Amino acid sequence: MNGEPIRVTLPDGRSVALPAGSSAATLAAEIGPGLARAALAASVDGEIVDLNRPLADGAAVRLLTERDPEALGVLRHSAAHVLATAVRELVPGAGIGFGPAIDDGFYYDFDVPEPFTPDRIEAVERLMAEVVRSDHPFERRVVTKEEARELFADDPLKLERLEELGDDEVITVYRDGPFLDLCRGPHLPSTGRLGHFKLLSAAGAYWRGDERRRMLQRIYGTAFFRKKDLRTHLHRLEEAKKRDHRVLGRRLDLFSIQEEVGQGLVLWHPGGGRVRRVIEDFLRDTLVEHGYEIVYTPHVASEELYRLSGHLDVFADDMFPAMDDGGDRFRMKPMNCPHHFMIYRSRTRSYRDLPLRFAELGTCYRYERSGTLHGMLRVRSFTQDDAHIFIREDQIADEYNRLLDLGDRLLGVFGYEYRAALSTRPEKAIGDAAVYDDASDRLAGVLRDRGLDYELDEGGGAFYGPKVDILVTDALGREWQGGTFQLDFLMPERFGLDYVGADNRRHRAVVIHRTLLGSMERFVGGLIEHYGGAFPLWLAPEQVRILPVSEQWTESARELMGRLRAEGLRAELDDRDTLGYRIRAAETMKVPYMGIVGEREAEAGTVSVRMRGAGRKQVAMGRGDFVERLKDEVARRALG
RNA sequence: GCUCUGGUAGCUCAGUGGUAGAGCGCUUCCUUGGUAAGGAAGAGGUCGCGGGUUCGAUCCCCGCCCAGAGCUCCA
């Protein structure tokens, strides 16, 4: 090697001298043979690079092994290249789109004449294994734009991408064996380092994510360094599938969606109805405690109302088509706001009246595009736990504090962890920017003062006002929308929402649109998955199932059921078949408690209590104690 | 809406160019069972809908509807 030796620093502060032109691989070898084997890539001055890139003098270098989280992204992106290598072998002329690492794995988009069927995916997977066995090194090369144009002359997708690169950008290509790709990298040293991978699915995806452009075929996969991690991940996917609210909704007889009724229209069966009723009762009581007024408004409105609100212009496509009787035109309501505004406007309001909080479990109708519908989570008719709060500008901070209190109370009851996100003024905001920013600052102040962990979405607010979103994390670690508190300076203008101030002059009110749970459909759908169908006692559609050991004891069992029901508990009796059969049935239906009554229990006036999922671990207890225990668990809304 | 894959009994699914099967569930009978499926019999289907090809279509072809995966969208 020519030139002066270089020095690089390690994370522990140590400085190492290396010959000029040395790479991170040389460094690893210098430190030890174990590290030389384990090193996969390097972080150089904070940038992740290939192991064989030459190091600059004075660089801060951290060698990445499979223990470093950053290495997983490198692995997965390399896996994507291996996938493309395999696809090119199967379909030589395949166009190559993008192939990034994503949260749980990677994908690659291909322009191929035939879509990928499951057996072709398997074939691709086998070819990938061969690419890994061949252990092709990933070779990086810097090229000029002109060279790149020649290299990718036969791939219009790559050429298009290439033309977008600025003239001062360094263009790199990577080769692994036969496959050459326009790519920024970095990559593993060679394809042989790709550990454990699996192709998961194929689906169409628009080129550049633009629905007006051609559709490519996307293959999804995942990859891990260790077999165990891959297995765990696949197992988690299986678990998520088992918790699918659509599957559980059928099995537990909670709801259905039927072709004859219509797409995206949910039928709540008695079981789902019970869950919903309990939540609604709890919600309504809590709202009244928190100073809300309950209002009711019709499901349809004259089109004029949405002309006034401005929604008709912008969102007509997402509304159900108009009902026209030759004179007036009516629409199913896509939101409750205008109705609530009209209630506010129905009389002169004093500053003393504010805040005024109108809450409604308001059923709305939105004509969502068919491909977006999904079980209970994305539907065309849904009931929002909606409210509109009318306040003075000086009440913003105070009201947001109350909202966050309320959110905290509600979400905690369901066992959700949550965090907040604040969205501030976008470019297209209307009205006085200073008012918008001042409001955002006050919201940020509220979040800070509460010590709440929040994320800032700069410019993510609506054009009419900033908002605070609550994001909840469920039992599988997935994040859901868990409420949104949206400030609105526009609608008060459009609807003339005023109040008379202490100065006896008219002032403009400020509106907060807010939901806590979102919609009953989405919330209950989410809860089904959160609990895996095993609802805590207070929410369970059926709380206790009484099982007489034989017909002889049915009378005694019925007496117990009567006592439970008299206390408002949802108890059923099952005297169908053998005891073992019925225990199995109750377990499958995820009933929290079974009360078994046979000779011993009937004579002693007790009941043998078997808890969901606890198998034969059961206790005999007095019937009064049993009733009290359940009542207490319900009253505490225990999560079980 | 777009791409692909599907649609057969209440559910999960097998199957065939000559109008159809299993398991579970349901009904009835026998069994009176002590902790995750006791036994038997029976009912139940316009094979998503509409066209076409064919002597004959659940099966092949076309269109539509619906579902699933993904994309796009989500006031």
Side-chain angles (χ1 to χ4, degrees):
Chain A
M1 295 267 180
N2 303 324
E4 295 293 303
I6 57 167
R7 296 196 75 83
V8 298
T9 18
L10 299 181
D12 62 5
R14 251 168 74 203
S15 176
V16 179
L18 295 167
S22 291
S23 66
T26 328
L27 173 64
E30 188 73 18
I31 296 173
L35 191 55
R37 271 193 306 275
L40 296 164
S43 167
V44 176
D45 297 324
E47 191 195 346
I48 301 177
V49 301
D50 302 321
L51 208 57
N52 59 10
R53 283 278 290 282
L55 296 169
D57 188 36
V61 182
R62 188 160 57 94
L63 291 164
L64 302 179
T65 68
E66 61 177 55
R67 278 201 297 274
D68 294 286
E70 299 98 319
L72 198 55
V74 176
L75 170 80
R76 287 170 176 175
H77 182 53
S78 299
H81 276 241
V82 170
L83 166 59
T85 312
V87 166
R88 263 285 171 81
E89 203 171 320
L90 194 70
V91 190
I96 305 291
F98 288 94
I102 52 175
D103 270 357
D104 287 326
F106 62 90
Y107 68 78
Y108 221 120
D109 288 341
F110 302 100
D111 190 6
V112 285
E114 302 276 315
F116 295 101
T117 55
D119 31 304
R120 293 184 76 206
I121 296 241
E122 275 177 39
V124 171
E125 212 173 56
R126 281 193 299 272
L127 287 169
M128 283 176 76
E130 272 174 41
V131 174
V132 171
R133 255 196 307 278
S134 307
D135 197 19
H136 303 298
F138 278 101
E139 296 165 36
R140 175 180 188 269
R141 188 150 69 88
V142 177
V143 296
T144 64
K145 208 166 199 172
E146 201 41 55
E147 279 179 89
R149 280 194 196 105
E150 280 170 35
L151 287 170
F152 299 106
D154 57 349
D155 192 340
L157 302 184
K158 284 292 166 192
L159 287 179
E160 180 179 332
R161 176 74 190 105
L162 188 61
E163 291 315 317
E164 286 169 7
L165 295 174
D167 289 332
D168 49 346
E169 264 178 278
V170 179
I171 300 172
T172 55
V173 296
Y174 276 83
R175 172 178 292 285
D176 64 285
F179 180 63
L180 182 76
D181 199 6
L182 176 67
C183 176
R184 192 182 302 133
H187 283 286
L188 300 174
S190 68
T191 59
R193 306 299 287 268
L194 180 56
H196 302 274
F197 62 92
K198 172 113 189 109
L199 297 183
L200 297 172
S201 60
Y206 300 108
W207 169 232
R208 314 309 300 267
D210 183 340
E211 65 177 318
R212 287 163 308 193
R213 309 207 50 180
R214 67 178 303 139
M215 187 153 286
L216 306 180
Q217 297 302 322
R218 176 173 297 178
I219 297 181
Y220 283 93
T222 192
F224 291 88
F225 287 110
R226 278 176 299 190
K227 189 167 190 177
K228 185 166 145 266
D229 293 336
L230 175 63
R231 231 186 353 234
T232 308
H233 179 74
L234 296 177
H235 184 246
R236 217 193 329 263
L237 291 181
E238 286 300 311
E239 277 307 297
K241 218 187 283 174
K242 269 190 231 154
R243 282 173 181 246
D244 189 319
H245 73 284
R246 293 164 301 180
V247 175
L248 288 172
R250 172 172 290 294
R251 238 190 49 216
L252 305 179
D253 197 15
L254 301 174
F255 74 96
S256 64
I257 296 171
Q258 299 178 41
E259 199 174 328
E260 294 85 340
V261 177
Q263 284 184 287
L265 303 173
V266 175
L267 304 178
W268 293 74
H269 295 198
R274 287 177 175 195
V275 176
R276 175 168 170 175
R277 195 196 78 224
V278 172
I279 295 172
E280 287 186 356
D281 288 349
F282 167 57
L283 180 67
R284 254 190 299 260
D285 292 348
T286 310
L287 291 181
V288 170
E289 278 166 32
H290 280 75
Y292 284 78
E293 294 292 343
I294 306 290
V295 299
Y296 297 88
T297 66
H299 292 206
V300 292
S302 160
E303 213 171 70
E304 287 310 307
L305 187 62
Y306 302 109
R307 219 175 292 277
L308 179 59
S309 69
H311 289 115
L312 198 61
D313 291 338
V314 194
F315 300 112
D317 283 352
D318 297 305
M319 292 165 73
F320 275 79
M323 292 165 266
D324 193 335
D325 72 349
D328 292 322
R329 286 161 64 85
F330 294 93
R331 295 284 192 154
M332 302 305 293
K333 68 172 171 186
M335 76 277 292
N336 308 297
C337 333
H339 285 99
H340 291 186
F341 298 156
M342 296 310 283
I343 298 176
Y344 180 89
R345 231 171 62 152
S346 66
R347 49 167 290 184
T348 308
R349 305 290 179 179
S350 158
Y351 73 98
R352 296 172 195 277
D353 296 334
L354 307 185
L356 203 48
R357 307 182 185 92
F358 295 159
E360 176 176 14
L361 285 161
T363 305
C364 298
Y365 302 84
R366 296 184 190 173
Y367 200 74
E368 304 282 1
R369 293 164 82 176
S370 63
T372 63
L373 301 173
H374 182 85
M376 285 184 126
L377 302 181
R378 190 82 180 268
V379 295
R380 285 183 170 165
S381 166
F382 55 94
T383 301
Q384 280 185 315
D385 68 314
D386 205 0
H388 292 89
I389 305 173
F390 304 88
I391 53 172
R392 306 189 304 259
E393 235 182 279
D394 62 287
Q395 293 174 316
I396 292 175
D398 202 40
E399 194 59 31
Y400 268 75
N401 257 314
R402 288 168 146 274
L403 281 169
L404 290 162
D405 283 342
L406 185 56
D408 184 68
R409 158 119 179 82
L410 276 169
L411 297 172
V413 162
F414 294 99
Y416 282 122
E417 302 281 321
Y418 69 90
R419 65 193 182 91
L422 171 65
S423 302
T424 61
R425 184 166 54 86
E427 289 292 309
K428 54 174 184 171
I430 46 110
D432 190 344
V435 172
Y436 199 123
D437 291 340
D438 177 61
S440 304
D441 288 347
R442 271 187 273 177
L443 300 188
V446 168
L447 293 169
R448 264 198 314 274
D449 290 349
R450 297 178 68 93
L452 195 60
D453 175 29
Y454 77 94
E455 175 186 303
L456 189 63
D457 182 4
E458 206 100 45
F463 63 93
Y464 47 79
K467 63 171 176 172
V468 171
D469 286 318
I470 301 298
L471 303 163
V472 305
T473 306
D474 75 4
L476 289 184
R478 296 172 302 181
E479 209 158 68
W480 306 67
Q481 173 72 249
T484 173
F485 312 149
Q486 175 92 54
L487 213 48
D488 185 349
F489 297 109
L490 173 66
M491 286 299 154
E493 294 292 333
R494 292 195 81 117
F495 280 82
L497 305 177
D498 295 337
Y499 62 90
V500 178
D503 56 4
N504 200 30
R505 309 245 294 257
R506 296 185 83 84
H507 299 270
R508 197 86 327 152
V510 177
V511 164
I512 303 171
H513 307 253
R514 63 98 280 217
T515 70
L516 291 159
L517 310 181
S519 72
M520 296 315 295
E521 284 75 11
R522 187 175 287 195
F523 189 73
V524 171
L527 271 190
I528 293 170
E529 305 204 353
H530 180 49
Y531 297 130
F535 289 96
L537 189 70
W538 76 286
L539 287 171
E542 182 181 345
Q543 296 172 313
V544 199
R545 189 171 289 188
I546 308 298
L547 309 176
V549 170
S550 72
E551 263 167 44
Q552 244 177 303
W553 317 109
T554 301
E555 202 46 46
S556 177
R558 203 174 292 285
E559 187 269 343
L560 174 59
M561 180 176 72
R563 279 174 74 169
L564 289 159
R565 285 188 170 178
E567 294 293 343
L569 292 160
R570 298 184 286 275
E572 307 290 338
L573 186 122
D574 184 1
D575 59 356
R576 292 175 296 174
D577 218 306
T578 59
L579 184 63
Y581 177 86
R582 285 174 287 151
I583 283 171
R584 181 182 151 84
E587 287 285 358
T588 339
M589 290 303 281
K590 302 186 187 285
V591 180
Y593 285 98
M594 279 172 253
I596 295 160
V597 176
E599 183 174 7
R600 296 196 293 271
E601 294 83 1
E603 277 167 11
T606 60
V607 54
S608 287
V609 178
R610 180 175 162 134
M611 285 171 65
R612 176 176 60 199
R616 284 169 178 253
K617 260 181 277 161
Q618 59 178 11
V619 279
M621 57 173 88
R623 295 185 177 191
D625 293 343
F626 183 47
V627 173
E628 286 311 311
R629 171 177 172 165
L630 298 191
K631 274 173 66 183
D632 175 66
E633 196 175 325
V634 169
R636 288 186 291 112
R637 300 194 179 88
L639 287 169

